[in-house]
Amino acid sequence: DAKTTQPTSMDCAEGRAANLPCNHSTISGNEYVYWYRQIHSQGPQYIIHGLKNNETNEMASLIITEDRKSSTLILPHATLRDTAVYYCIVRVLTGNQFYFGTGTSLTVIP
Amino acid sequence: SQTIHQWPATLVQPVGSPLSLECTVEGTSNPNLYWYRQAAGRGLQLLFYSVGIGQISSEVPQNLSASRPQDRQFILSSKKLLLSDSGFYLCAYTGTVFSYEQYFGPGTRLTVT
């Protein structure tokens, strides 16, 4: 079962930062936070993951609170192509299962 | 390079008919393999995963089954489809148990009529 809670939907103006929150209050010490996104009618795409430090790559930044009970995915300059469903997942590094939940539907508005 | 194939892309089947969806992976050995289903407007539901040939773990009791006859082949089957089996079926793999990235196939859109 998904161990995360995300808002159902969000809007963001094109060119602005999109901040997508995720609550994972029951996260264990050895569980990582992963973010994926799914563009309509395609398979999900990996974005970023982290344990406790903030992470940044060419797609996004991941901010994890000090108590690790929540995190925020930041798309610094949202484009129309970032319109997708964003999934926050917690998983141990050696785990087999990925539980995606229902995610946040992000709409980037021109 | 690693690639994942699924077929067919779309399928329309009557209630009570059998189902067989196939997934194959190239460019990696001993992958973990996964089947997901996504009903219209819903999230991804993990159905089965496999860590090796003949090893299948079921996540949700249902009228579906999975098999892994070869290292890089994963098959999803049903003897009798239900209307509720309609959805978008996705196959995925991870390269090793330590892999943080799961790669997805193009999916099969199944409509049961």
Side-chain angles (χ1 to χ4, degrees):
Chain A
D1 292 329
K3 297 175 61 176
T4 62
T5 304
Q6 299 177 253
T8 303
S9 63
M10 293 180 62
D11 293 337
C12 177
E14 187 179 17
R16 303 296 294 270
N19 297 284
L20 294 97
C22 179
N23 288 323
H24 30 80
S25 58
T26 61
I27 192 170
S28 301
N30 61 345
E31 288 183 316
Y32 286 68
V33 180
Y34 295 79
W35 283 85
Y36 282 74
R37 74 178 181 184
Q38 184 179 22
I39 296 171
H40 183 63
S41 295
Q42 297 181 24
Q45 173 192 23
Y46 165 84
I47 301 173
I48 200 167
H49 77 288
L51 182 63
K52 54 183 178 181
N53 296 322
N54 297 337
E55 302 287 344
T56 296
N57 63 20
E58 65 278 5
M59 291 182 66
S61 295
L62 173 60
I63 308 298
I64 302 174
T65 58
E66 190 170 346
D67 63 6
R68 301 206 328 119
K69 292 185 177 182
S70 65
S71 61
T72 301
L73 178 74
I74 301 173
L75 308 178
H77 305 287
T79 71
L80 298 179
R81 289 178 292 181
D82 292 323
T83 293
V85 177
Y86 288 77
Y87 297 96
C88 170
I89 303 162
V90 295
R91 171 182 178 258
V92 297
L93 195 63
T94 57
N96 292 322
Q97 299 94 322
F98 289 77
Y99 297 110
F100 278 80
T102 55
T104 296
S105 178
L106 174 69
T107 301
V108 179
I109 302 169
Chain B
S1 63
Q2 301 167 350
T3 56
I4 178 169
H5 304 280
Q6 277 187 255
W7 62 91
T10 59
L11 191 59
V12 180
Q13 293 282 97
V15 168
S17 64
L19 173 73
S20 181
L21 302 180
E22 188 164 346
C23 170
T24 59
V25 179
E26 296 178 358
T28 186
S29 297
N30 195 30
N32 283 2
L33 296 172
Y34 304 81
W35 278 113
Y36 292 87
R37 177 172 62 196
Q38 188 169 37
R42 307 290 293 275
L44 283 168
Q45 179 186 34
L46 178 62
L47 301 176
F48 301 95
Y49 68 93
S50 171
V51 299
I53 296 174
Q55 301 179 60
I56 307 295
S57 295
S58 174
E59 288 291 310
V60 181
Q62 63 229 320
N63 68 319
L64 299 173
S65 62
S67 62
R68 184 170 177 174
Q70 300 180 44
D71 181 44
R72 290 170 288 179
Q73 183 185 30
F74 206 23
I75 297 171
L76 182 69
S77 304
S78 174
K79 292 182 180 178
K80 290 185 178 181
L81 283 169
L82 307 173
L83 286 174
S84 58
D85 290 325
S86 292
F88 190 44
Y89 287 81
L90 287 157
C91 180
Y93 77 96
T94 56
T96 70
V97 72
F98 294 98
S99 174
Y100 53 78
E101 188 165 354
Q102 198 170 48
Y103 300 91
F104 284 81
T108 295
R109 189 160 301 281
L110 172 66
T111 303
V112 181
T113 60

mmCIF file with all atom_site columns, all heavy atoms in Angstrom, chain B residues 93-112:
data_model
loop_
_atom_site.group_PDB
_atom_site.id
_atom_site.type_symbol
_atom_site.label_atom_id
_atom_site.label_alt_id
_atom_site.label_comp_id
_atom_site.label_asym_id
_atom_site.label_entity_id
_atom_site.label_seq_id
_atom_site.pdbx_PDB_ins_code
_atom_site.Cartn_x
_atom_site.Cartn_y
_atom_site.Cartn_z
_atom_site.occupancy
_atom_site.B_iso_or_equiv
_atom_site.pdbx_formal_charge
_atom_site.auth_seq_id
_atom_site.auth_comp_id
_atom_site.auth_asym_id
_atom_site.auth_atom_id
_atom_site.pdbx_PDB_model_num
ATOM 1   N N   . TYR B 1 93  ? 10.549  -2.777 -15.245 1.00 0.00 ? 93  TYR B N   1
ATOM 2   C CA  . TYR B 1 93  ? 11.652  -3.548 -14.699 1.00 0.00 ? 93  TYR B CA  1
ATOM 3   C C   . TYR B 1 93  ? 12.621  -2.630 -13.969 1.00 0.00 ? 93  TYR B C   1
ATOM 4   O O   . TYR B 1 93  ? 12.669  -1.423 -14.210 1.00 0.00 ? 93  TYR B O   1
ATOM 5   C CB  . TYR B 1 93  ? 12.383  -4.326 -15.797 1.00 0.00 ? 93  TYR B CB  1
ATOM 6   C CG  . TYR B 1 93  ? 13.306  -3.495 -16.659 1.00 0.00 ? 93  TYR B CG  1
ATOM 7   C CD1 . TYR B 1 93  ? 14.668  -3.418 -16.380 1.00 0.00 ? 93  TYR B CD1 1
ATOM 8   C CD2 . TYR B 1 93  ? 12.818  -2.808 -17.754 1.00 0.00 ? 93  TYR B CD2 1
ATOM 9   C CE1 . TYR B 1 93  ? 15.518  -2.656 -17.171 1.00 0.00 ? 93  TYR B CE1 1
ATOM 10  C CE2 . TYR B 1 93  ? 13.656  -2.050 -18.549 1.00 0.00 ? 93  TYR B CE2 1
ATOM 11  C CZ  . TYR B 1 93  ? 15.008  -1.970 -18.261 1.00 0.00 ? 93  TYR B CZ  1
ATOM 12  O OH  . TYR B 1 93  ? 15.838  -1.210 -19.034 1.00 0.00 ? 93  TYR B OH  1
ATOM 13  N N   . THR B 1 94  ? 13.364  -3.232 -13.058 1.00 0.00 ? 94  THR B N   1
ATOM 14  C CA  . THR B 1 94  ? 14.526  -2.590 -12.483 1.00 0.00 ? 94  THR B CA  1
ATOM 15  C C   . THR B 1 94  ? 15.718  -3.487 -12.779 1.00 0.00 ? 94  THR B C   1
ATOM 16  O O   . THR B 1 94  ? 15.609  -4.702 -12.811 1.00 0.00 ? 94  THR B O   1
ATOM 17  C CB  . THR B 1 94  ? 14.401  -2.374 -10.972 1.00 0.00 ? 94  THR B CB  1
ATOM 18  O OG1 . THR B 1 94  ? 14.150  -3.630 -10.340 1.00 0.00 ? 94  THR B OG1 1
ATOM 19  C CG2 . THR B 1 94  ? 13.273  -1.421 -10.642 1.00 0.00 ? 94  THR B CG2 1
ATOM 20  N N   . GLY B 1 95  ? 16.888  -2.865 -12.968 1.00 0.00 ? 95  GLY B N   1
ATOM 21  C CA  . GLY B 1 95  ? 18.051  -3.625 -13.383 1.00 0.00 ? 95  GLY B CA  1
ATOM 22  C C   . GLY B 1 95  ? 18.536  -4.589 -12.316 1.00 0.00 ? 95  GLY B C   1
ATOM 23  O O   . GLY B 1 95  ? 18.856  -5.722 -12.588 1.00 0.00 ? 95  GLY B O   1
ATOM 24  N N   . THR B 1 96  ? 18.595  -4.104 -11.077 1.00 0.00 ? 96  THR B N   1
ATOM 25  C CA  . THR B 1 96  ? 18.997  -4.953 -9.954  1.00 0.00 ? 96  THR B CA  1
ATOM 26  C C   . THR B 1 96  ? 18.157  -4.541 -8.760  1.00 0.00 ? 96  THR B C   1
ATOM 27  O O   . THR B 1 96  ? 17.486  -3.525 -8.780  1.00 0.00 ? 96  THR B O   1
ATOM 28  C CB  . THR B 1 96  ? 20.485  -4.778 -9.584  1.00 0.00 ? 96  THR B CB  1
ATOM 29  O OG1 . THR B 1 96  ? 20.659  -3.486 -8.999  1.00 0.00 ? 96  THR B OG1 1
ATOM 30  C CG2 . THR B 1 96  ? 21.360  -4.912 -10.808 1.00 0.00 ? 96  THR B CG2 1
ATOM 31  N N   . VAL B 1 97  ? 18.236  -5.305 -7.727  1.00 0.00 ? 97  VAL B N   1
ATOM 32  C CA  . VAL B 1 97  ? 17.419  -4.994 -6.559  1.00 0.00 ? 97  VAL B CA  1
ATOM 33  C C   . VAL B 1 97  ? 17.810  -3.651 -5.947  1.00 0.00 ? 97  VAL B C   1
ATOM 34  O O   . VAL B 1 97  ? 17.043  -3.035 -5.220  1.00 0.00 ? 97  VAL B O   1
ATOM 35  C CB  . VAL B 1 97  ? 17.518  -6.132 -5.525  1.00 0.00 ? 97  VAL B CB  1
ATOM 36  C CG1 . VAL B 1 97  ? 18.884  -6.126 -4.848  1.00 0.00 ? 97  VAL B CG1 1
ATOM 37  C CG2 . VAL B 1 97  ? 16.412  -6.025 -4.503  1.00 0.00 ? 97  VAL B CG2 1
ATOM 38  N N   . PHE B 1 98  ? 19.023  -3.161 -6.257  1.00 0.00 ? 98  PHE B N   1
ATOM 39  C CA  . PHE B 1 98  ? 19.441  -1.881 -5.719  1.00 0.00 ? 98  PHE B CA  1
ATOM 40  C C   . PHE B 1 98  ? 19.090  -0.711 -6.618  1.00 0.00 ? 98  PHE B C   1
ATOM 41  O O   . PHE B 1 98  ? 19.363  0.415  -6.300  1.00 0.00 ? 98  PHE B O   1
ATOM 42  C CB  . PHE B 1 98  ? 20.956  -1.881 -5.494  1.00 0.00 ? 98  PHE B CB  1
ATOM 43  C CG  . PHE B 1 98  ? 21.389  -2.849 -4.440  1.00 0.00 ? 98  PHE B CG  1
ATOM 44  C CD1 . PHE B 1 98  ? 21.874  -4.092 -4.790  1.00 0.00 ? 98  PHE B CD1 1
ATOM 45  C CD2 . PHE B 1 98  ? 21.293  -2.518 -3.108  1.00 0.00 ? 98  PHE B CD2 1
ATOM 46  C CE1 . PHE B 1 98  ? 22.264  -4.991 -3.812  1.00 0.00 ? 98  PHE B CE1 1
ATOM 47  C CE2 . PHE B 1 98  ? 21.685  -3.404 -2.126  1.00 0.00 ? 98  PHE B CE2 1
ATOM 48  C CZ  . PHE B 1 98  ? 22.178  -4.647 -2.480  1.00 0.00 ? 98  PHE B CZ  1
ATOM 49  N N   . SER B 1 99  ? 18.507  -0.979 -7.746  1.00 0.00 ? 99  SER B N   1
ATOM 50  C CA  . SER B 1 99  ? 18.220  0.087  -8.694  1.00 0.00 ? 99  SER B CA  1
ATOM 51  C C   . SER B 1 99  ? 17.117  0.991  -8.170  1.00 0.00 ? 99  SER B C   1
ATOM 52  O O   . SER B 1 99  ? 16.100  0.521  -7.694  1.00 0.00 ? 99  SER B O   1
ATOM 53  C CB  . SER B 1 99  ? 17.810  -0.491 -10.032 1.00 0.00 ? 99  SER B CB  1
ATOM 54  O OG  . SER B 1 99  ? 17.412  0.542  -10.906 1.00 0.00 ? 99  SER B OG  1
ATOM 55  N N   . TYR B 1 100 ? 17.340  2.291  -8.250  1.00 0.00 ? 100 TYR B N   1
ATOM 56  C CA  . TYR B 1 100 ? 16.326  3.236  -7.804  1.00 0.00 ? 100 TYR B CA  1
ATOM 57  C C   . TYR B 1 100 ? 15.388  3.626  -8.917  1.00 0.00 ? 100 TYR B C   1
ATOM 58  O O   . TYR B 1 100 ? 14.398  4.287  -8.709  1.00 0.00 ? 100 TYR B O   1
ATOM 59  C CB  . TYR B 1 100 ? 16.988  4.490  -7.230  1.00 0.00 ? 100 TYR B CB  1
ATOM 60  C CG  . TYR B 1 100 ? 17.997  5.131  -8.158  1.00 0.00 ? 100 TYR B CG  1
ATOM 61  C CD1 . TYR B 1 100 ? 17.583  5.922  -9.221  1.00 0.00 ? 100 TYR B CD1 1
ATOM 62  C CD2 . TYR B 1 100 ? 19.349  4.925  -7.985  1.00 0.00 ? 100 TYR B CD2 1
ATOM 63  C CE1 . TYR B 1 100 ? 18.494  6.504  -10.078 1.00 0.00 ? 100 TYR B CE1 1
ATOM 64  C CE2 . TYR B 1 100 ? 20.270  5.501  -8.845  1.00 0.00 ? 100 TYR B CE2 1
ATOM 65  C CZ  . TYR B 1 100 ? 19.841  6.300  -9.878  1.00 0.00 ? 100 TYR B CZ  1
ATOM 66  O OH  . TYR B 1 100 ? 20.740  6.867  -10.713 1.00 0.00 ? 100 TYR B OH  1
ATOM 67  N N   . GLU B 1 101 ? 15.713  3.239  -10.127 1.00 0.00 ? 101 GLU B N   1
ATOM 68  C CA  . GLU B 1 101 ? 14.921  3.681  -11.256 1.00 0.00 ? 101 GLU B CA  1
ATOM 69  C C   . GLU B 1 101 ? 14.192  2.494  -11.869 1.00 0.00 ? 101 GLU B C   1
ATOM 70  O O   . GLU B 1 101 ? 14.787  1.473  -12.184 1.00 0.00 ? 101 GLU B O   1
ATOM 71  C CB  . GLU B 1 101 ? 15.797  4.350  -12.300 1.00 0.00 ? 101 GLU B CB  1
ATOM 72  C CG  . GLU B 1 101 ? 15.008  5.005  -13.423 1.00 0.00 ? 101 GLU B CG  1
ATOM 73  C CD  . GLU B 1 101 ? 15.844  5.958  -14.237 1.00 0.00 ? 101 GLU B CD  1
ATOM 74  O OE1 . GLU B 1 101 ? 17.000  6.206  -13.871 1.00 0.00 ? 101 GLU B OE1 1
ATOM 75  O OE2 . GLU B 1 101 ? 15.319  6.467  -15.243 1.00 0.00 ? 101 GLU B OE2 1
ATOM 76  N N   . GLN B 1 102 ? 12.897  2.665  -12.014 1.00 0.00 ? 102 GLN B N   1
ATOM 77  C CA  . GLN B 1 102 ? 12.066  1.644  -12.625 1.00 0.00 ? 102 GLN B CA  1
ATOM 78  C C   . GLN B 1 102 ? 11.724  2.117  -14.043 1.00 0.00 ? 102 GLN B C   1
ATOM 79  O O   . GLN B 1 102 ? 11.278  3.241  -14.239 1.00 0.00 ? 102 GLN B O   1
ATOM 80  C CB  . GLN B 1 102 ? 10.786  1.446  -11.802 1.00 0.00 ? 102 GLN B CB  1
ATOM 81  C CG  . GLN B 1 102 ? 10.062  0.157  -12.080 1.00 0.00 ? 102 GLN B CG  1
ATOM 82  C CD  . GLN B 1 102 ? 8.951   -0.094 -11.082 1.00 0.00 ? 102 GLN B CD  1
ATOM 83  O OE1 . GLN B 1 102 ? 8.160   0.780  -10.802 1.00 0.00 ? 102 GLN B OE1 1
ATOM 84  N NE2 . GLN B 1 102 ? 8.908   -1.298 -10.549 1.00 0.00 ? 102 GLN B NE2 1
ATOM 85  N N   . TYR B 1 103 ? 11.945  1.238  -15.017 1.00 0.00 ? 103 TYR B N   1
ATOM 86  C CA  . TYR B 1 103 ? 11.711  1.577  -16.412 1.00 0.00 ? 103 TYR B CA  1
ATOM 87  C C   . TYR B 1 103 ? 10.408  0.925  -16.864 1.00 0.00 ? 103 TYR B C   1
ATOM 88  O O   . TYR B 1 103 ? 10.190  -0.262 -16.625 1.00 0.00 ? 103 TYR B O   1
ATOM 89  C CB  . TYR B 1 103 ? 12.853  1.074  -17.290 1.00 0.00 ? 103 TYR B CB  1
ATOM 90  C CG  . TYR B 1 103 ? 14.203  1.655  -16.930 1.00 0.00 ? 103 TYR B CG  1
ATOM 91  C CD1 . TYR B 1 103 ? 15.024  1.019  -16.012 1.00 0.00 ? 103 TYR B CD1 1
ATOM 92  C CD2 . TYR B 1 103 ? 14.647  2.833  -17.514 1.00 0.00 ? 103 TYR B CD2 1
ATOM 93  C CE1 . TYR B 1 103 ? 16.260  1.543  -15.677 1.00 0.00 ? 103 TYR B CE1 1
ATOM 94  C CE2 . TYR B 1 103 ? 15.888  3.365  -17.185 1.00 0.00 ? 103 TYR B CE2 1
ATOM 95  C CZ  . TYR B 1 103 ? 16.686  2.715  -16.266 1.00 0.00 ? 103 TYR B CZ  1
ATOM 96  O OH  . TYR B 1 103 ? 17.900  3.243  -15.934 1.00 0.00 ? 103 TYR B OH  1
ATOM 97  N N   . PHE B 1 104 ? 9.591   1.709  -17.532 1.00 0.00 ? 104 PHE B N   1
ATOM 98  C CA  . PHE B 1 104 ? 8.270   1.235  -17.924 1.00 0.00 ? 104 PHE B CA  1
ATOM 99  C C   . PHE B 1 104 ? 8.173   1.005  -19.427 1.00 0.00 ? 104 PHE B C   1
ATOM 100 O O   . PHE B 1 104 ? 8.790   1.722  -20.229 1.00 0.00 ? 104 PHE B O   1
ATOM 101 C CB  . PHE B 1 104 ? 7.199   2.245  -17.517 1.00 0.00 ? 104 PHE B CB  1
ATOM 102 C CG  . PHE B 1 104 ? 6.884   2.231  -16.051 1.00 0.00 ? 104 PHE B CG  1
ATOM 103 C CD1 . PHE B 1 104 ? 7.695   2.896  -15.150 1.00 0.00 ? 104 PHE B CD1 1
ATOM 104 C CD2 . PHE B 1 104 ? 5.791   1.529  -15.573 1.00 0.00 ? 104 PHE B CD2 1
ATOM 105 C CE1 . PHE B 1 104 ? 7.423   2.871  -13.787 1.00 0.00 ? 104 PHE B CE1 1
ATOM 106 C CE2 . PHE B 1 104 ? 5.497   1.496  -14.226 1.00 0.00 ? 104 PHE B CE2 1
ATOM 107 C CZ  . PHE B 1 104 ? 6.317   2.165  -13.335 1.00 0.00 ? 104 PHE B CZ  1
ATOM 108 N N   . GLY B 1 105 ? 7.362   0.028  -19.791 1.00 0.00 ? 105 GLY B N   1
ATOM 109 C CA  . GLY B 1 105 ? 7.040   -0.212 -21.183 1.00 0.00 ? 105 GLY B CA  1
ATOM 110 C C   . GLY B 1 105 ? 5.976   0.758  -21.664 1.00 0.00 ? 105 GLY B C   1
ATOM 111 O O   . GLY B 1 105 ? 5.465   1.565  -20.896 1.00 0.00 ? 105 GLY B O   1
ATOM 112 N N   . PRO B 1 106 ? 5.605   0.661  -22.944 1.00 0.00 ? 106 PRO B N   1
ATOM 113 C CA  . PRO B 1 106 ? 4.630   1.595  -23.524 1.00 0.00 ? 106 PRO B CA  1
ATOM 114 C C   . PRO B 1 106 ? 3.198   1.334  -23.086 1.00 0.00 ? 106 PRO B C   1
ATOM 115 O O   . PRO B 1 106 ? 2.333   2.177  -23.271 1.00 0.00 ? 106 PRO B O   1
ATOM 116 C CB  . PRO B 1 106 ? 4.794   1.375  -25.029 1.00 0.00 ? 106 PRO B CB  1
ATOM 117 C CG  . PRO B 1 106 ? 5.324   -0.011 -25.144 1.00 0.00 ? 106 PRO B CG  1
ATOM 118 C CD  . PRO B 1 106 ? 6.183   -0.243 -23.954 1.00 0.00 ? 106 PRO B CD  1
ATOM 119 N N   . GLY B 1 107 ? 2.936   0.165  -22.519 1.00 0.00 ? 107 GLY B N   1
ATOM 120 C CA  . GLY B 1 107 ? 1.605   -0.119 -22.002 1.00 0.00 ? 107 GLY B CA  1
ATOM 121 C C   . GLY B 1 107 ? 0.673   -0.770 -23.000 1.00 0.00 ? 107 GLY B C   1
ATOM 122 O O   . GLY B 1 107 ? 0.859   -0.669 -24.223 1.00 0.00 ? 107 GLY B O   1
ATOM 123 N N   . THR B 1 108 ? -0.335  -1.454 -22.459 1.00 0.00 ? 108 THR B N   1
ATOM 124 C CA  . THR B 1 108 ? -1.415  -2.040 -23.254 1.00 0.00 ? 108 THR B CA  1
ATOM 125 C C   . THR B 1 108 ? -2.727  -1.507 -22.719 1.00 0.00 ? 108 THR B C   1
ATOM 126 O O   . THR B 1 108 ? -3.008  -1.635 -21.526 1.00 0.00 ? 108 THR B O   1
ATOM 127 C CB  . THR B 1 108 ? -1.423  -3.575 -23.146 1.00 0.00 ? 108 THR B CB  1
ATOM 128 O OG1 . THR B 1 108 ? -0.242  -4.108 -23.730 1.00 0.00 ? 108 THR B OG1 1
ATOM 129 C CG2 . THR B 1 108 ? -2.644  -4.153 -23.858 1.00 0.00 ? 108 THR B CG2 1
ATOM 130 N N   . ARG B 1 109 ? -3.523  -0.935 -23.601 1.00 0.00 ? 109 ARG B N   1
ATOM 131 C CA  . ARG B 1 109 ? -4.842  -0.441 -23.184 1.00 0.00 ? 109 ARG B CA  1
ATOM 132 C C   . ARG B 1 109 ? -5.861  -1.528 -23.482 1.00 0.00 ? 109 ARG B C   1
ATOM 133 O O   . ARG B 1 109 ? -6.123  -1.847 -24.634 1.00 0.00 ? 109 ARG B O   1
ATOM 134 C CB  . ARG B 1 109 ? -5.197  0.850  -23.903 1.00 0.00 ? 109 ARG B CB  1
ATOM 135 C CG  . ARG B 1 109 ? -6.451  1.502  -23.319 1.00 0.00 ? 109 ARG B CG  1
ATOM 136 C CD  . ARG B 1 109 ? -6.562  2.969  -23.667 1.00 0.00 ? 109 ARG B CD  1
ATOM 137 N NE  . ARG B 1 109 ? -5.432  3.764  -23.195 1.00 0.00 ? 109 ARG B NE  1
ATOM 138 C CZ  . ARG B 1 109 ? -5.269  4.186  -21.949 1.00 0.00 ? 109 ARG B CZ  1
ATOM 139 N NH1 . ARG B 1 109 ? -6.173  3.871  -21.026 1.00 0.00 ? 109 ARG B NH1 1
ATOM 140 N NH2 . ARG B 1 109 ? -4.236  4.936  -21.613 1.00 0.00 ? 109 ARG B NH2 1
ATOM 141 N N   . LEU B 1 110 ? -6.417  -2.111 -22.423 1.00 0.00 ? 110 LEU B N   1
ATOM 142 C CA  . LEU B 1 110 ? -7.377  -3.208 -22.542 1.00 0.00 ? 110 LEU B CA  1
ATOM 143 C C   . LEU B 1 110 ? -8.781  -2.706 -22.263 1.00 0.00 ? 110 LEU B C   1
ATOM 144 O O   . LEU B 1 110 ? -9.029  -2.074 -21.231 1.00 0.00 ? 110 LEU B O   1
ATOM 145 C CB  . LEU B 1 110 ? -7.032  -4.321 -21.546 1.00 0.00 ? 110 LEU B CB  1
ATOM 146 C CG  . LEU B 1 110 ? -8.062  -5.449 -21.410 1.00 0.00 ? 110 LEU B CG  1
ATOM 147 C CD1 . LEU B 1 110 ? -8.151  -6.248 -22.698 1.00 0.00 ? 110 LEU B CD1 1
ATOM 148 C CD2 . LEU B 1 110 ? -7.714  -6.360 -20.237 1.00 0.00 ? 110 LEU B CD2 1
ATOM 149 N N   . THR B 1 111 ? -9.678  -2.986 -23.174 1.00 0.00 ? 111 THR B N   1
ATOM 150 C CA  . THR B 1 111 ? -11.095 -2.690 -22.977 1.00 0.00 ? 111 THR B CA  1
ATOM 151 C C   . THR B 1 111 ? -11.866 -3.989 -23.008 1.00 0.00 ? 111 THR B C   1
ATOM 152 O O   . THR B 1 111 ? -11.805 -4.730 -24.004 1.00 0.00 ? 111 THR B O   1
ATOM 153 C CB  . THR B 1 111 ? -11.636 -1.752 -24.063 1.00 0.00 ? 111 THR B CB  1
ATOM 154 O OG1 . THR B 1 111 ? -10.860 -0.553 -24.087 1.00 0.00 ? 111 THR B OG1 1
ATOM 155 C CG2 . THR B 1 111 ? -13.104 -1.411 -23.814 1.00 0.00 ? 111 THR B CG2 1
ATOM 156 N N   . VAL B 1 112 ? -12.545 -4.275 -21.924 1.00 0.00 ? 112 VAL B N   1
ATOM 157 C CA  . VAL B 1 112 ? -13.364 -5.483 -21.851 1.00 0.00 ? 112 VAL B CA  1
ATOM 158 C C   . VAL B 1 112 ? -14.815 -5.068 -22.078 1.00 0.00 ? 112 VAL B C   1
ATOM 159 O O   . VAL B 1 112 ? -15.341 -4.194 -21.378 1.00 0.00 ? 112 VAL B O   1
ATOM 160 C CB  . VAL B 1 112 ? -13.215 -6.184 -20.498 1.00 0.00 ? 112 VAL B CB  1
ATOM 161 C CG1 . VAL B 1 112 ? -14.054 -7.463 -20.465 1.00 0.00 ? 112 VAL B CG1 1
ATOM 162 C CG2 . VAL B 1 112 ? -11.749 -6.508 -20.235 1.00 0.00 ? 112 VAL B CG2 1
#
